[in-house]
Amino acid sequence: MADVLSQSQIDALLNSMQNSGAEEVEEKPKVVEKEYKKYDFFSPKKYTKDKLKMLSSIYDNYSRIFTSQINGLFRVVSEVEVMGVEEQRYYEFGNALNDSDVLTVADVELPDHSNNPPVLIHISPLLMASMIDRMLGGTGTDLSIDIAYTYTDIELALYEKIMKYPISIMNDVWSGYINVNAVYSYIEENPSMFQGISVDETVVIIMLHIKINEIEGVMNICIPGTLLSNIFEIIDKTKHLAKKNDSVQHRNSKEDIMESIRESKMDIMAQLGIARLNLDDIYNLHVGDVIDLNKPQDSPIALYIEGQPWFNGQLGVHNKNVAVKIDERILEPNREPDEDLAV
């Protein structure tokens, strides 16, 4: 015969089932894992955010000038804006290029006449083909140009002529920080053969998005790290010298001003006290009358220089002449003297 459960056993069984069900319903709160960005210690970042922000500001100005230049050259409405400023290795930039791409090489001369690697400029074939077509009298609306497009000899000659314009802008946009002389050098038809920059060198890529009517493309400006380091070093030295010269000039100008006004004559007034009298009392004043200044006998006397209170002193005698001995400087030199009767 099967065992029969007692009432207490049945209640305990039901309670255990209810408790287990409640535990299953309760879900543990999910812990949000914080995401961390991996840092590559083999290729650490060389430039701070402030430096990259400065480059972005410089090339924002560059994009505005380049927009006006494109509009004037090709009689179109264009838009140029900075898409981003990225720091990477040169081999990453080179691996993103195709064998048919063309690089523009520009030499940059700095005020210290140091030897620096050149700046590289790459522009998308669709965008360049549109510009060349407009120079030849076309509409520049051919969208069939792909990334594997190969330029003809005539197109390369026009390519060279067009790229001299954006290179010349660099001298103007950098003039607020440093005097640079960017000059067109040549065009490299095979990017993989270019040896002017080490493959492991840090470079900064400025990406410009260009839109000419319905044609859109990207122009990349590759600035080598060696060149940027020399530029930032010269800028920092220039700022330091400018601050030093400003302090020297300020000191010299202060001395010159004091020298020029040193012999100027100024009125000094010792204010013994202040009394308020109505007009009738003043009208009835006579020789021998005494005016109460409401001030103790040995109280300090204020000295006014050209109407401004500068010192407190004590009244006395020096070489049988009435004199005032200066005790302290008044901390409020801009306070106007009282307009009441001063004696």
Side-chain angles (χ1 to χ4, degrees):
M1 181 177 177
D3 294 336
V4 178
L5 298 176
S6 63
Q7 185 61 41
S8 60
Q9 292 175 335
I10 293 173
D11 293 339
L13 181 61
L14 291 175
N15 290 332
S16 63
M17 293 177 63
Q18 290 176 356
N19 292 334
S20 62
E23 291 176 358
E24 292 179 357
V25 172
E26 291 182 1
E27 295 183 359
K28 294 182 179 180
K30 295 181 179 179
V31 179
V32 179
E33 295 183 359
K34 188 175 180 180
E35 296 182 357
Y36 294 93
K37 186 178 180 181
K38 293 183 178 180
Y39 186 82
D40 188 1
F41 287 93
F42 291 99
S43 56
K45 297 300 181 183
K46 190 175 181 180
Y47 302 105
T48 61
K49 292 182 179 179
D50 293 337
K51 300 294 186 183
L52 297 180
K53 187 176 180 180
M54 185 183 77
L55 289 175
S56 180
S57 175
I58 290 173
Y59 281 91
D60 277 336
N61 188 24
Y62 179 95
S63 63
R64 288 190 289 269
I65 300 175
F66 195 25
T67 299
S68 301
Q69 202 172 68
I70 293 176
N71 296 343
L73 286 173
F74 303 105
R75 300 293 190 271
V76 293
V77 177
S78 63
E79 295 179 4
V80 182
E81 61 178 354
V82 178
M83 292 176 57
V85 178
E86 294 184 0
E87 178 184 342
Q88 55 186 238
R89 297 290 179 174
Y90 175 70
Y91 67 82
E92 296 177 311
F93 173 74
N95 292 340
L97 300 176
N98 298 316
D99 293 336
S100 59
D101 284 332
V102 175
L103 288 177
T104 304
V105 182
D107 294 329
V108 178
E109 183 180 357
L110 301 180
D112 60 354
H113 303 288
S114 57
N115 293 325
N116 298 288
V119 174
L120 304 180
I121 302 176
H122 171 261
I123 190 167
S124 61
L126 178 62
L127 197 58
M128 178 54 67
S130 175
M131 294 180 182
I132 293 174
D133 188 22
R134 289 182 179 277
M135 290 190 71
L136 297 175
T139 59
T141 57
D142 188 4
L143 299 175
S144 62
I145 306 297
D146 57 9
I147 58 176
Y149 181 77
T150 303
Y151 298 97
T152 64
D153 292 340
I154 296 177
E155 288 174 337
L156 287 175
L158 296 175
Y159 190 112
E160 177 181 343
K161 183 176 181 181
I162 292 173
M163 292 307 298
K164 290 180 179 180
Y165 290 100
I167 292 175
S168 63
I169 303 176
M170 294 185 185
N171 301 334
D172 297 329
V173 297
W174 279 98
S175 61
Y177 298 89
I178 184 176
N179 293 325
V180 300
N181 183 24
V183 181
Y184 168 84
S185 181
Y186 64 95
I187 55 176
E188 179 60 61
E189 300 181 42
N190 191 352
S192 60
M193 298 298 294
F194 179 73
Q195 303 294 327
I197 302 176
S198 174
V199 293
D200 291 328
E201 182 170 355
T202 301
V203 296
V204 173
I205 309 299
I206 294 94
M207 295 169 288
L208 301 178
H209 178 265
I210 303 175
K211 182 178 181 181
I212 302 177
N213 291 338
E214 66 274 12
I215 303 296
E216 297 184 21
V218 177
M219 185 175 79
N220 296 318
I221 302 175
C222 175
I223 306 178
T226 303
L227 175 61
L228 273 180
S229 298
N230 292 336
I231 289 175
F232 290 142
E233 183 179 356
I234 295 174
I235 291 175
D236 293 339
K237 287 182 180 179
T238 304
K239 289 182 179 179
H240 177 72
L241 291 175
K243 290 181 180 179
K244 185 176 181 180
N245 292 335
D246 288 342
S247 61
V248 173
Q249 184 177 2
H250 177 71
R251 183 171 64 253
N252 292 338
S253 62
K254 182 179 180 180
E255 292 176 356
D256 294 340
I257 292 173
M258 290 302 298
E259 185 65 29
S260 62
I261 65 175
R262 196 179 301 275
E263 301 300 327
S264 300
K265 295 184 179 299
M266 305 183 73
D267 294 332
I268 299 179
M269 179 187 70
Q271 188 184 68
L272 302 180
I274 299 173
R276 291 180 179 273
L277 301 175
N278 56 37
L279 182 59
D280 184 62
D281 292 336
I282 295 175
Y283 179 74
N284 294 318
L285 284 176
H286 299 285
V287 177
D289 291 344
V290 177
I291 300 175
D292 187 3
L293 299 179
N294 297 318
K295 193 173 183 180
Q297 180 180 358
D298 297 332
S299 59
I301 296 173
L303 283 178
Y304 286 82
I305 300 177
E306 290 294 334
Q308 299 291 332
W310 279 82
F311 301 102
N312 285 326
Q314 294 291 333
L315 186 64
V317 178
H318 179 71
N319 294 333
K320 298 183 180 181
N321 293 321
V322 178
V324 176
K325 180 182 178 181
I326 297 175
D327 290 336
E328 61 181 358
R329 172 75 181 272
I330 297 177
L331 299 179
E332 298 179 3
N334 293 328
R335 186 178 61 193
E336 295 290 341
D338 296 325
E339 296 180 358
D340 300 318
L341 180 61
V343 180

